[in-house]
Amino acid sequence: MTATHKVLIVGAGIAGCSAAIALADKGMQVTLVEKEAQWRFQSSGIFIYSNGLEALRSVGVLPQILDAGFGIADGRNVYLDHHGAPIVDVFYPRSHGDAVPVLGIKRAEMHRILAGRLGALGVAIRLATTVATIHSPAGGDHAEVTFSDGSVQRFDLVVGADGIRSQVREAVCGPVAPRYTGFGVWRSVHARPRALDAKVMMMGIGKRLGIMPISDDRLYIFGTVSEPADRWYPRAQWPALMRARFAEFGGPARQFLDELSADSEVLYTAVEEVQAPLPWHAGRVLLIGDAAHASTPFMGQGGAMAVEDAVVLADMLAAHGIGEQTLKAFGERRFPMCRFVQEASRKVGEAGAVEDAASCARRNAAMQQTAQQQVDGFYRELDALRAVPS
């Protein structure tokens, strides 16, 4: 693959930045467009498990990610009930490359690191820019793109990495709308007490509340709860609403809930999924990341799947060239993995949404016997799916 191959990536989130880096590393001439006028990303936390960290190694940013985030060396996840009583400790596996099992990092820090790598590679970045039209006839060898400023360019490949409400997606598979899952997720960022050095998940009645360090001095808490469809809450109300949603939670979460105020860094989002059908391409236009397979957050795999998409795509294009068979094979290779993650994540969310106390007590008791087995089985299946040849 040579620099004569021109690739447009639409969207500068995790998927888009990772794809731009991975493709530029393979010698392609990459242009990245982003609708925002400046680099500005949601500033809550994200946790990344071993498979996602290995993908970030392939992208060339793992050392910086490890320095900026908080790695949990033994992979310990402490499960508690909503009062803070212990249920079980579960340990996540290290990767084959021996990265830490799980790491928390502030999203803005992750994007800062990715942006730095883009700059080092000389990727052309156009902010405050959207795609107006894409013309990519079946069987053709290019896509003609008209941008929001009226300019027109030809590319050998257009990669739609523009998220859950992707505009590029319609050009590939028609009107596939995100599906609301019935959950909302509340997040807030706090100072980290030195003693809090593991991931904590608190299992309530119809609710889950997690705590994850994201740096040496910060952590974030994240709670999921059933929320009515199409409900909008003014941003100024988010701290009080988050405190009220999880008022019954005690234990280690209590101090963070109590300190929520108008000055707190709080974020609320509805939880949606996207299940774009195969093929994930049309002509020379391809979908990756949330544009193709947005997942619920319960397994913490959305970012990992996005970075893995980028790495696999770059490897396949470098090995086989940009053509119909490669683009088709990419979707067929990634679809089973992403669908498995979506289904596993949905089941975890449903288990956390049990709304009667007796069923929750049975669930918590069962976790003592099965939680570690389920974690181990999940990662064994990821390994098996990843072993599919390209």
Side-chain angles (χ1 to χ4, degrees), residues 96 337 378-388:
H96 299 300
M337 169 89 76
F378 176 80
Y379 283 93
R380 280 197 302 271
E381 184 63 19
L382 285 187
D383 283 344
L385 290 166
R386 195 175 294 109
V388 174

Side-chain angles (χ1 to χ4, degrees), residues 216-230:
D216 286 341
D217 60 354
R218 307 296 283 173
L219 59 76
Y220 87 117
I221 65 174
F222 49 97
T224 54
V225 60
S226 295
E227 295 281 0
D230 301 320

Side-chain angles (χ1 to χ4, degrees), residues 3-8 29-30 153-157 322:
T4 58
H5 286 88
K6 296 175 61 179
V7 180
L8 173 68
Q29 184 180 334
V30 178
Q153 285 185 261
R154 282 189 171 191
F155 296 92
D156 298 295
L157 179 65
I322 300 175

Side-chain angles (χ1 to χ4, degrees), residues 281-301:
H281 75 287
R284 289 296 181 94
V285 184
L286 175 74
L287 301 176
I288 67 170
D290 281 356
H293 51 74
S295 180
T296 59
F298 305 113
M299 293 298 291
Q301 284 288 331

Side-chain angles (χ1 to χ4, degrees), residues 127-178:
L127 300 178
T129 302
T130 59
V131 170
T133 63
I134 304 174
H135 179 64
S136 181
D141 61 359
H142 71 275
E144 186 173 275
V145 178
T146 303
F147 294 101
S148 51
D149 63 2
S151 61
V152 179
Q153 285 185 261
R154 282 189 171 191
F155 296 92
D156 298 295
L157 179 65
V158 175
V159 178
D162 49 340
I164 196 165
R165 284 179 168 72
S166 169
Q167 292 181 310
V168 176
R169 185 168 60 236
E170 185 153 355
V172 173
C173 50
V176 176

Side-chain angles (χ1 to χ4, degrees), residues 29-263:
Q29 184 180 334
V30 178
T31 299
L32 176 65
V33 298
E34 166 58 42
K35 66 181 179 181
E36 297 293 339
Q38 54 186 312
W39 291 99
R40 181 175 60 197
F41 301 97
Q42 295 175 348
S43 291
S44 64
I46 182 173
F47 46 95
I48 310 168
Y49 292 102
S50 56
N51 60 307
L53 293 170
E54 286 306 315
L56 288 166
R57 188 196 302 278
S58 297
V59 172
V61 297
L62 182 60
Q64 299 96 310
I65 293 288
L66 294 174
D67 285 345
F70 189 98
I72 298 175
D74 63 359
R76 184 162 57 104
N77 188 133
V78 178
Y79 278 101
L80 309 172
D81 71 13
H82 60 288
H83 298 300
I87 300 173
V88 67
D89 286 2
V90 168
F91 295 86
Y92 290 95
R94 282 183 174 268
S95 68
H96 299 300
D98 207 34
V100 294
V102 59
L103 172 138
I105 189 170
K106 199 168 186 180
R107 283 180 177 268
E109 278 294 286
M110 185 173 181
H111 279 98
R112 177 188 63 78
I113 291 165
L114 292 171
R117 180 76 173 136
L118 290 168
L121 288 167
V123 172
I125 300 171
R126 297 176 58 179
L127 300 178
T129 302
T130 59
V131 170
T133 63
I134 304 174
H135 179 64
S136 181
D141 61 359
H142 71 275
E144 186 173 275
V145 178
T146 303
F147 294 101
S148 51
D149 63 2
S151 61
V152 179
Q153 285 185 261
R154 282 189 171 191
F155 296 92
D156 298 295
L157 179 65
V158 175
V159 178
D162 49 340
I164 196 165
R165 284 179 168 72
S166 169
Q167 292 181 310
V168 176
R169 185 168 60 236
E170 185 153 355
V172 173
C173 50
V176 176
R179 184 187 72 85
Y180 178 55
T181 64
F183 294 103
V185 58
W186 297 84
R187 303 180 178 95
S188 57
V189 179
H190 304 264
R192 180 182 77 88
R194 184 168 296 276
L196 205 159
D197 59 0
K199 179 171 175 272
V200 177
M201 284 301 305
M202 303 183 70
M203 306 297 289
I205 299 174
K207 305 174 186 180
R208 294 168 16 123
L209 187 66
I211 307 171
M212 182 68 188
I214 55 176
S215 71
D216 286 341
D217 60 354
R218 307 296 283 173
L219 59 76
Y220 87 117
I221 65 174
F222 49 97
T224 54
V225 60
S226 295
E227 295 281 0
D230 301 320
R231 181 64 60 86
W232 177 82
Y233 303 110
R235 183 178 291 267
Q237 297 178 14
W238 287 356
L241 286 170
M242 183 174 180
R243 192 168 56 246
R245 288 290 189 277
F246 301 97
E248 70 271 31
F249 279 72
R254 186 70 262 155
Q255 68 181 95
F256 306 119
L257 294 167
D258 285 344
E259 72 186 31
L260 289 172
S261 70
D263 297 324

